[in-house]
Amino acid sequence: MWDQLWLNLHAATLTAGSNDYGAIPDAAIGVRDGRIAFLGARQALPGEPASLARQVHDAGGRWLTPGLVECHTHLVFGGDRTLDQAMRAAGASYVDIANAGGGIRSTVKMTRELTVEQLVEAALPRARALLADGVTTLEIKSGYGLSVEAELKQLRAARALGERLDVEIVPTLLALHALPEEYAADRNRYVDLVCEELIPRAVSERLAVAADVFCEKIAFSVAECARVLGVARAHGLSLKVHADQLTDMGAAGLAADFGALSADHVEYTSPAGVAAMANSGTTAVLLPGAFLLLNEKQRPPVAAMRAAGVPMALSTDCNPGTSPLTSLALTLPLGCALFGLSPLEALAGVTREAARALGLANDRGTLAVGLRADFALWDVGHPRELAYWVGGQRCAGRVRGGRPAAP
Ligand code: DI6
Ligand code: FE
């Protein structure tokens, strides 16, 4: 006997290799212990619905996809960066703004001033907006604390969000995001602090499952990032890299060398970086929000990555400075229009490939027997519409572990 049975739906399984979204028209999905126990045509059900499951749900003829996986956010922070936007409108670049006291460091000031509870309150509306678009798994990075206690505070706020909302949080320590002002004269001491105190604390308090680094001229060098990645790996964290966003740092190659789960942004990644990622199985996380809002011109090498078989995920990069974007539904058409993704690649990018970017591909991100019963339900005539409409609310509900999820 199953716990739940979902009927009157069309399933888009997003199975790899399918060029029709893995569609199963008039499907049925049975769930046991929070996992998919049956997936197929309704006609293939082995009996009468009421005899198969304790609870039978009617999905109202909607399309059902895997629950969306949001694999790259900086959701927990204090204040906002509307001043940066005004400076940008007046012609200032990201680097100009950082040098004028705006940028990441200004968010660090505002974040350090808040308590865990205040950070949670500030992040809740952003998290709710993401959930309303069908997100069931949500990665959240630190990186606006930049001291041991403030980074741990941000990670505690991320964890608390998972207790307040019906979503699974995947916490990432992004200690190498910007050099905190108090270490301006001695970069190495900050990197020491991260390696010797912050990573061990985050791991022993189970506050992070991954480490990320911002490898960029305005942030940290390849050598500094390599040191932190090495220590993080030795502590059992999985790895991610903000790579080649503004310049070609060879950072996608660095991610590949360390067997990182993902290299994110990758606008300036070279052909050698693409080849390295293909070899190591590192997923490229594409972030069209930051590209659009910074008015960048250099696109990530999508055609080369596609040809080389680099998996491509898609995410909002929700952050106060470069991408105050709180909708994955809006990110899908942006990925298509700005980066040349196909509608299917875009949808796979926020499900199957985003799960891969978090190391969760064997657990979620597609629909298959044995995987987590995390679903999103959609008021559309076909899943290709999910990357077509710009704005509007088409997600009709979420399911986590087979149960309707709270909004
Ligand atoms: N790249 C980005 O686009 C964000 N962080 C990063 O490493 C920007 C973060 C910010 O400006 O607050
Ligand atoms: Fe980011």
Side-chain angles (χ1 to χ4, degrees):
M1 188 102 176
W2 302 326
D3 302 322
Q4 289 97 10
L5 174 60
W6 293 81
L7 294 174
N8 193 16
L9 59 93
H10 311 292
T13 65
L14 275 302
T15 306
S18 164
N19 58 11
D20 71 346
Y21 297 79
I24 306 175
D26 198 6
I29 302 188
V31 177
R32 188 187 299 127
D33 296 331
R35 301 208 160 246
I36 299 173
F38 174 90
L39 171 66
R42 178 182 171 149
Q43 287 188 335
L45 277 175
E48 279 309 304
S51 70
L52 293 172
R54 269 179 275 279
Q55 258 185 325
V56 180
H57 300 277
D58 182 333
R62 297 187 172 92
W63 277 89
L64 183 148
T65 66
L68 303 194
V69 176
E70 168 50 292
C71 68
H72 179 144
T73 83
H74 311 246
L75 204 70
V76 171
F77 56 84
D80 64 51
R81 296 263 287 284
T82 49
L83 277 177
D84 290 27
Q85 187 188 30
M87 286 185 71
R88 252 196 317 271
S93 71
Y94 189 49
V95 177
D96 296 336
I97 293 167
N99 291 337
I104 294 178
R105 280 178 178 178
S106 67
T107 299
V108 171
K109 270 202 195 79
M110 296 184 277
T111 302
R112 285 180 175 177
E113 281 166 11
L114 300 189
T115 63
V116 171
E117 190 47 37
Q118 288 170 323
L119 285 171
V120 171
E121 287 299 324
L124 269 172
R126 302 189 277 270
R128 286 206 174 96
L130 287 168
L131 268 48
D133 282 343
V135 168
T136 50
T137 303
L138 171 57
E139 191 260 11
I140 301 180
K141 302 176 196 298
S142 67
Y144 293 118
L146 307 185
S147 70
V148 172
E149 288 310 323
E151 286 287 299
L152 297 178
K153 177 178 71 176
Q154 254 193 296
L155 293 170
R156 287 191 187 101
R159 178 163 70 189
L161 276 172
E163 290 154 9
R164 293 280 286 274
L165 296 173
D166 205 339
V167 67
E168 181 170 332
I169 303 293
V170 179
T172 300
L173 175 67
L174 172 56
L176 290 204
H177 194 199
L179 185 68
E181 243 154 47
E182 57 279 18
Y183 289 90
D186 194 354
R187 307 180 59 86
N188 286 337
R189 268 188 48 236
Y190 181 65
V191 181
D192 291 344
L193 179 76
V194 170
C195 292
E196 290 160 18
E197 282 186 48
L198 182 47
I199 291 172
R201 286 274 307 274
V203 169
S204 72
E205 297 181 33
R206 296 177 180 279
L207 286 168
V209 298
D212 195 345
V213 294
F214 187 16
C215 187
E216 192 58 64
K217 290 208 176 79
I218 55 165
F220 293 91
S221 69
V222 168
E224 289 165 337
C225 291
R227 190 173 155 215
V228 165
L229 292 172
V231 171
R233 183 170 58 186
H235 278 83
L237 296 175
S238 44
L239 305 178
K240 309 179 82 67
V241 177
H242 277 70
D244 308 327
Q245 179 187 8
L246 307 167
T247 54
D248 178 12
M249 298 282 291
L254 173 74
D257 286 347
F258 275 89
L261 287 174
S262 70
D264 302 44
H265 289 286
V266 300
E267 276 85 344
Y268 284 84
T269 293
S270 66
V274 171
M277 290 174 72
N279 271 329
S280 63
T282 298
T283 298
V285 177
L286 304 178
L287 304 166
F291 172 90
L292 173 71
L293 296 166
L294 289 175
N295 200 16
E296 292 287 338
K297 301 292 177 248
Q298 170 96 13
R299 294 181 159 72
V302 164
M305 292 194 289
R306 185 185 289 131
V310 175
M312 292 183 282
L314 188 64
S315 155
T316 62
D317 192 17
C318 180
N319 78 72
T322 62
S323 191
L325 170 59
T326 58
S327 167
L328 261 187
L330 185 51
T331 306
L332 294 176
L334 292 182
C336 296
L338 297 175
F339 291 169
L341 294 180
S342 72
L344 173 54
E345 284 174 323
L347 187 57
V350 297
T351 51
R352 184 179 75 232
E353 305 307 336
R356 190 191 311 280
L358 296 179
L360 297 173
N362 292 328
D363 190 61
R364 63 192 75 180
T366 60
L367 304 178
V369 168
L371 297 194
R372 258 189 79 91
D374 286 358
F375 314 137
L377 288 155
W378 303 96
D379 284 320
V380 292
H382 190 276
R384 73 174 81 89
E385 288 176 48
L386 296 177
Y388 169 73
W389 299 106
V390 182
Q393 193 55 59
R394 280 165 194 82
C395 180
R398 302 179 307 132
V399 174
R400 284 188 70 228
R403 295 168 204 273

